[in-house]
Amino acid sequence: MFWGIIGLTTNILLFPILGSVQTVIMPVLGQIMMSMIIDNYGMFGTTRHPLSLMRMVGVLLLIVGVLIVVVLPEYLARNSMKRPPEQRVKWKWLWQIFGVLVGGMLAIQAALNGRLGGLLQAPIHAALISFFIGTIMLFLVAVFQGTLKNIRLVVQQKTPWWVWIGGFFGAAYIFLNAYLVPQIGTGTVVVLVLLGQIISSLNIDQFGLLGSMKSSISVAKIAGLIIMIAGVGLIEVM
């Protein structure tokens, strides 16, 4: 959970520096590359899944699909409206590399949770330990920052009931990592999670779920999803 906390927190830091597209793409590249390295060498005690040529092709298709789904729409939107020139960020390339490293941390988190679940022979216990350690770390950070009172303010406000169930999905994510990684490998789990994230986000946009603005799914996004599914298929089968 330590790696996951660092990864998620760093994403927040990267957004104002790299923008929304690169904040998504850089960690995604890191996740995919690190998960394939973990699988190829059987790191952290995971089952070894050698990186074959077809798996490499699958990874390339997955990356192309992500670029089409995530990057292309924003690139077209930027070109369709007049915007002031972007402010230059000093040492931007270092932040981009850091974004890739952050994605690698999330892949390591999946591998570690999977290994812990295998050792305990109980993925639910692995998820419990992971969240327990994460809760302690976040509590200490909140105490240090003096922001615990903000929780009371949110409780007093009239907030939708569904804003409180994010932890349920987080727990399910950690549990499934702990259960699936020993079965099908870190790389496959990471790319399937990535595919599920993008499909879910597109559905949320399409129907305006959870208070988001509606944004219709374009033909380009559908094509990108098909390419991603093909890439996942090659990675899984090969």
Side-chain angles (χ1 to χ4, degrees):
M1 195 63 183
F2 170 77
W3 297 104
I5 291 173
I6 292 178
L8 293 176
T9 304
T10 307
N11 277 348
I12 298 173
L13 298 176
L14 290 177
F15 185 84
I17 298 172
L18 299 181
S20 59
V21 172
Q22 291 194 46
T23 300
V24 172
I25 293 301
M26 294 303 167
V28 164
L29 291 177
Q31 279 183 281
I32 295 173
M33 290 190 295
M34 179 55 73
S35 65
M36 292 300 154
I37 291 172
I38 292 172
D39 269 1
N40 189 60
Y41 295 103
M43 298 169 64
F44 308 112
T46 58
T47 303
R48 189 166 180 261
H49 297 269
L51 184 59
S52 64
L53 177 61
M54 295 306 294
R55 280 173 68 88
M56 291 179 63
V57 173
V59 169
L60 290 176
L61 286 176
L62 186 67
I63 293 173
V64 169
V66 171
L67 292 174
I68 292 174
V69 173
V70 179
V71 178
L72 183 60
E74 183 158 331
Y75 176 78
L76 295 175
R78 284 181 177 180
N79 287 345
S80 65
M81 61 182 68
K82 294 182 179 180
R83 298 193 334 156
E86 295 184 357
Q87 184 179 2
R88 283 194 169 186
V89 178
K90 192 175 182 180
W91 304 108
K92 187 174 181 178
W93 62 274
L94 282 177
W95 288 102
Q96 292 168 333
I97 293 175
F98 191 48
V100 174
L101 294 176
V102 166
M105 293 177 186
L106 296 176
I108 291 174
Q109 179 196 20
L112 292 176
N113 287 333
R115 177 58 174 164
L116 182 59
L119 290 174
L120 296 175
Q121 295 295 310
I124 190 69
H125 293 165
L128 176 62
I129 292 173
S130 181
F131 262 89
F132 179 71
I133 294 174
T135 300
I136 292 175
M137 292 181 62
L138 291 175
F139 177 78
L140 293 176
V141 171
V143 170
F144 178 77
Q145 291 183 333
T147 55
L148 280 177
K149 61 183 180 181
N150 294 346
I151 298 177
R152 184 184 62 189
L153 295 177
V154 175
V155 172
Q156 291 174 349
Q157 297 173 354
K158 293 182 179 180
T159 55
W161 63 269
W162 42 262
V163 302
W164 300 101
I165 63 173
F168 167 79
F169 294 104
Y173 168 73
I174 297 298
F175 168 76
L176 289 174
N177 275 341
Y179 178 76
L180 291 176
V181 166
Q183 310 296 326
I184 59 178
T186 304
T188 302
V189 170
V190 167
V191 296
L192 288 175
V193 167
L194 171 62
L195 181 63
Q197 284 179 312
I198 291 182
I199 292 176
S200 297
S201 65
L202 289 179
N203 277 288
I204 290 172
D205 283 352
Q206 174 72 17
F207 300 104
L209 303 176
L210 304 177
S212 64
M213 294 181 61
K214 285 189 177 182
S215 177
S216 299
I217 300 177
S218 63
V219 175
K221 289 182 179 180
I222 295 175
L225 277 177
I226 293 173
I227 293 173
M228 289 178 63
I229 292 171
V232 171
L234 286 177
I235 292 171
E236 174 65 18
V237 173
M238 302 297 171

